[in-house]
Every structure is written in C-alpha cells, then in structure tokens.
Amino acid sequence: AMYTIHRSTRQVNFTGSLVRTLMSSDDTGGAFCLQEFCSPPGRSTPRHMHDREEETIHLLEGSLDIEVGDEKISLNAGETILLPRKVPHRLTMTGDVPARYLALCIPAGFDQFVEACASAGETSWPPAPPSAEDIARLKSECTRFGITLFPPKA
C-alpha cells in the first residue's frame, strides 16, 4: 500500500505518563516513530540522552521546562523543540494542567523502548508513578536501546 494507517488507541503507563503510539517502528519500516504523551503536572523525566535518535517534541497542551545540555528552555503549547541525539536532556511538566505532547523520534526505536518499560496494569488518570520494579526494568533496558540515564544534578 502507498499509505499506512495506525488505528490502535491502546495506552500504556510509561514511568508515570500515559503514552499512545500513533506510528510505530513497524508501521514506518524503522524510519521514525510518533507517540503522544500525557503527563501529570510536576512530573519529570530523569536526565537522559539518546545515542540513536533525534527527538522532536511538539507541545499540544500544558507547559514544559526542558533542560538541554546546560540550557533551560520553557516550552508553551503550540511550540516545538528538536532535541539532538547525544545531548543530555530532561523534561519537567510545569503549570497546573497535564502536559500533552507529541514525540517524533528519528529513526524509530523509542516506541519499542516504551513498550519494553511500560508498567503492567492500569492506565487510569493520573497514571501511577513507576514502582521500584519499573525503575529497575527501565535501567536494564536502557543499554539495549542506546539510552543513558544520568543521576540528578546536585
């Protein structure tokens, strides 16, 4: 076919955010993956770095503070940022409404990382924060997917 339609509405709880895959690695032959994240206010990703993919974030609702390398940027709804590979970054959901954003990763693969790390069970709102078991699984999957986690800055 000359086109691909991905119709799954399935959501997973990935480290305390609900994630829906809009285009998977399989859908695009590995070219890219596109996912929708919804994260409660106050939630933060660990500082991390992707060795393999560029990550473009388009914020649909809410607000994000993003650390990229040594810089801090505030992203508002409607704005887009490109996070290059091999540069540490961290996203913090600010404001009092959930942050809803699209994440486009080129090449694909991050969707498979999310699947490998997703918590079993409920995807109710707000999503449960990651358990000790979830965090251990996340850390063990990072190497396989070329992701480095950094300890929090002192």
Side-chain angles (χ1 to χ4, degrees), residues 71-92:
E71 292 188 58
K72 278 197 172 157
I73 295 123
S74 290
L75 204 66
N76 298 305
E79 296 179 331
T80 307
I81 187 171
L82 172 63
L83 301 170
R85 71 187 78 188
K86 298 188 184 295
V87 176
H89 59 271
R90 178 174 192 239
L91 279 59
T92 302

Side-chain angles (χ1 to χ4, degrees), residues 53-114:
E53 56 272 321
E54 316 285 0
E55 184 178 19
T56 300
I57 304 283
H58 177 72
L59 187 59
L60 298 166
E61 293 171 13
S63 52
L64 287 176
D65 279 356
I66 303 176
E67 286 175 40
V68 190
D70 293 329
E71 292 188 58
K72 278 197 172 157
I73 295 123
S74 290
L75 204 66
N76 298 305
E79 296 179 331
T80 307
I81 187 171
L82 172 63
L83 301 170
R85 71 187 78 188
K86 298 188 184 295
V87 176
H89 59 271
R90 178 174 192 239
L91 279 59
T92 302
M93 320 312 145
T94 55
D96 48 15
V97 297
R100 199 165 64 87
Y101 59 92
L102 300 176
L104 173 69
C105 289
I106 298 173
F110 191 71
D111 57 320
Q112 295 168 335
F113 176 69
V114 167

Side-chain angles (χ1 to χ4, degrees):
M2 292 177 62
Y3 58 87
T4 302
I5 299 175
H6 187 107
R7 289 196 165 104
S8 171
T9 56
R10 181 172 162 267
Q11 287 190 318
V12 297
N13 180 343
F14 171 69
T15 66
S17 292
L18 292 187
V19 182
R20 199 161 59 101
T21 297
L22 305 176
M23 279 286 156
S24 70
S25 295
D26 290 343
D27 293 330
T28 67
F32 69 91
C33 61
L34 179 64
Q35 294 176 295
E36 180 186 44
F37 286 71
C38 196
S39 304
R43 189 190 161 270
S44 198
T45 69
R47 202 161 146 267
H48 66 284
M49 180 174 80
H50 304 251
D51 284 339
R52 301 178 188 164
E53 56 272 321
E54 316 285 0
E55 184 178 19
T56 300
I57 304 283
H58 177 72
L59 187 59
L60 298 166
E61 293 171 13
S63 52
L64 287 176
D65 279 356
I66 303 176
E67 286 175 40
V68 190
D70 293 329
E71 292 188 58
K72 278 197 172 157
I73 295 123
S74 290
L75 204 66
N76 298 305
E79 296 179 331
T80 307
I81 187 171
L82 172 63
L83 301 170
R85 71 187 78 188
K86 298 188 184 295
V87 176
H89 59 271
R90 178 174 192 239
L91 279 59
T92 302
M93 320 312 145
T94 55
D96 48 15
V97 297
R100 199 165 64 87
Y101 59 92
L102 300 176
L104 173 69
C105 289
I106 298 173
F110 191 71
D111 57 320
Q112 295 168 335
F113 176 69
V114 167
E115 283 293 335
C117 298
S119 308
E122 282 303 302
T123 55
S124 55
W125 189 262
S131 66
E133 188 183 302
D134 293 333
I135 291 166
R137 189 168 63 244
L138 177 82
K139 287 179 175 171
S140 72
E141 291 290 353
C142 278
T143 310
R144 185 159 71 103
F145 288 96
I147 294 169
T148 306
L149 293 179
F150 296 100
K153 286 180 177 172

